[in-house]
Amino acid sequence: MTKLLALALVLCASPAWAQGPIPSPQGSETRWNQLVDAAKAEGKVVILAPPDTQVRQALPAAFRARFGIAVDYLGGRSSESAGKLRAERQAGVYTVDVALAGIQTMATIFYREKMLLPLRPELIYPEVVDPSKWKNGKLWFMDPDDQYILRLFNTVGANFYIHTQFAKPADFHMARDLLDPKWKGRISIHDPTVPGNGSNEAARFYTQYGEDFVRRLFVDQQPGIARDRRQITDWLARGRYPISIGAERDEVERLKQEGLPVEAVYNLSDMPGTLSAGVGEVALMDHAPHPNAARLFANWIASKDGLGVYARARTESPTRNDIDESSFLPPEIIPRPGVNYFDTFGWDFTLSTKEEVRLRMKELMKR
């Protein structure tokens, strides 16, 4: 499904939930009403969010329709936006209320540099704090304190992509099939020596299959290496490198919809796929200029209605169990119970393994 179609579903769905009443919150209806009133008095909320046109259109419109509160949407790459926030804070300027970002930014910058407020105590919306509404049977906080960074998405990622004029799904049964000499010089990867998608992929392979496998894949197979994922996707589309580790999922899906013979390879016998939250993690910034609107937005984005809007706009699998994800997601990206996926957003994997492997890749690839 393309992002455009996903946006259409979001916008079509919005009026139904926007008109419904707010349920009484757990504990105190007065507390909830006071929060809504205080947020309306502040007039707006400022969110740090992905540079995604569909999300930029869908989230502010939906939140305003529900509460009459404007959303200032600061869209950009998480790492770049975090750098700007750091510079502002050093000057004593605080501009952001809520962050929607990936685990790397959340863990290594916002959490590590103590930019966040505890989120768990501020979640009071009844269907948010109800553990039965979540696939894990509880709110899924990523941080070791279990209260700062709430995971909203959990989506299955492809192992790699292929151009089917040059490679077939039947060519791949196990991860080691990527090491077949016939694929030498025909695989593209995102640069594993710099922080980002490439080093994440390398760390995943290193953790699962060891250094010898990684050396054979990333060095001996002589892959095409780029730091721009658009370049990798373009190589795949033209068949220059018919196997792509790290192409952009949304762009590959668009190319497929347009008739290009490209496919995602999800499930191998020893490689069932990865799990990712993408930019589907939410946190409250400290020193928020609109603290009540921030708390209200955080409750809403974790609710069935708010997360439904976000998941449709991003075409991601929500961590709630009461959203009809099969109506807008292909089945292969929805996690299946009992499958041992590799979670690329694990806390320890993010804070230690990725960086250790990245530094090791720099050594391996010099040889």
Side-chain angles (χ1 to χ4, degrees):
M1 178 182 295
T2 65
K3 281 290 192 71
L4 184 60
L5 181 55
L7 177 59
L9 288 174
V10 171
L11 296 178
C12 288
S14 296
W17 60 258
Q19 295 169 8
I22 301 172
S24 297
Q26 186 180 43
S28 172
E29 183 173 358
T30 299
R31 184 184 178 194
W32 177 259
N33 290 335
Q34 289 174 341
L35 175 60
V36 173
D37 290 343
K40 288 182 176 180
E42 290 172 348
K44 70 176 181 179
V45 62
V46 181
I47 66 172
L48 188 70
D52 185 309
T53 301
Q54 287 73 29
V55 178
R56 183 187 294 273
Q57 293 175 1
L59 284 189
F63 188 70
R64 183 161 195 159
R66 189 67 190 87
F67 297 105
I69 298 172
V71 175
D72 278 3
Y73 189 103
L74 304 180
R77 292 174 60 87
S78 295
S79 57
E80 295 171 359
S81 298
K84 180 180 177 182
L85 256 65
R86 180 190 287 122
E88 290 178 346
R89 284 167 166 259
Q90 290 173 349
V93 177
Y94 301 91
T95 58
V96 176
D97 298 307
V98 180
L100 294 171
I103 188 64
Q104 194 76 25
T105 299
M106 287 290 198
T108 65
I109 300 178
F110 295 156
Y111 178 87
R112 182 176 282 172
E113 298 183 17
K114 301 185 184 305
M115 297 185 184
L116 304 178
L117 281 179
L119 172 59
R120 183 184 287 276
E122 306 303 337
L123 296 176
I124 61 175
Y125 202 64
E127 62 173 54
V128 170
V129 296
D130 182 353
S132 71
K133 303 300 183 183
W134 299 90
K135 292 177 181 176
N136 275 3
K138 63 179 181 178
L139 291 161
W140 190 353
F141 282 92
M142 300 301 296
D143 58 280
D145 301 289
D146 198 36
Q147 63 174 335
Y148 286 95
I149 303 167
L150 179 64
R151 184 163 176 164
L152 302 174
F153 296 152
N154 193 43
T155 306
V156 176
N159 289 314
F160 50 90
Y161 300 92
I162 60 175
H163 192 299
T164 58
Q165 286 184 354
F166 307 97
K168 307 296 182 186
D171 292 330
F172 305 96
H173 303 282
M174 302 182 70
R176 67 168 177 255
D177 292 328
L178 289 167
L179 305 180
D180 191 311
K182 70 181 179 181
W183 304 126
K184 187 174 182 177
R186 309 197 74 192
I187 301 171
S188 67
I189 60 175
H190 197 258
D191 190 344
T193 68
V194 296
N197 181 265
S199 59
N200 295 351
E201 291 284 359
R204 177 265 180 105
F205 280 110
Y206 198 103
T207 301
Q208 287 190 290
Y209 307 108
E211 183 171 305
D212 181 65
F213 181 98
V214 168
R215 178 186 54 76
R216 294 170 65 190
L217 176 60
F218 286 77
V219 180
D220 297 348
Q221 285 293 69
Q222 297 180 5
I225 299 173
R227 294 188 178 183
D228 186 343
R229 295 183 70 188
R230 292 172 295 182
Q231 177 67 69
I232 297 172
T233 307
D234 180 66
W235 282 339
L236 173 69
R238 293 190 287 111
R240 171 64 183 85
Y241 294 95
I243 303 170
S244 175
I245 300 173
E248 298 173 299
R249 187 192 78 185
D250 296 335
E251 185 63 12
V252 172
E253 184 64 24
R254 183 187 68 79
L255 293 171
K256 183 178 178 180
Q257 293 288 332
E258 293 177 357
L260 200 71
V262 290
E263 293 285 347
V265 176
Y266 283 95
N267 296 303
L268 304 179
S269 61
D270 62 343
M271 197 179 187
T274 61
L275 293 175
S276 167
V279 288
E281 294 180 322
V282 62
L284 290 176
M285 306 302 295
D286 67 0
H287 300 286
H290 313 95
N292 294 296
R295 292 159 59 207
L296 183 64
F297 184 89
N299 276 271
W300 175 77
I301 199 68
S303 72
K304 178 181 178 181
D305 291 336
L307 184 50
V309 171
Y310 194 23
R312 284 177 172 85
R314 284 289 303 175
T315 59
E316 299 272 7
S317 180
T319 51
R320 293 186 65 96
N321 61 23
D322 55 359
I323 296 171
D324 184 15
E325 58 190 328
S326 63
S327 68
F328 61 92
L329 295 178
E332 58 267 19
I333 73 171
I334 301 174
R336 292 178 295 167
V339 177
N340 187 28
Y341 299 104
F342 187 89
D343 188 359
T344 61
F345 272 54
W347 189 262
D348 291 337
F349 182 73
T350 298
L351 286 181
S352 58
T353 305
K354 288 180 183 179
E355 182 61 10
E356 292 170 3
V357 172
R358 184 183 73 82
L359 295 176
R360 181 58 181 152
M361 292 304 298
K362 294 182 74 171
E363 297 176 4
L364 290 174
M365 297 182 73
K366 284 180 180 179
R367 299 177 182 178

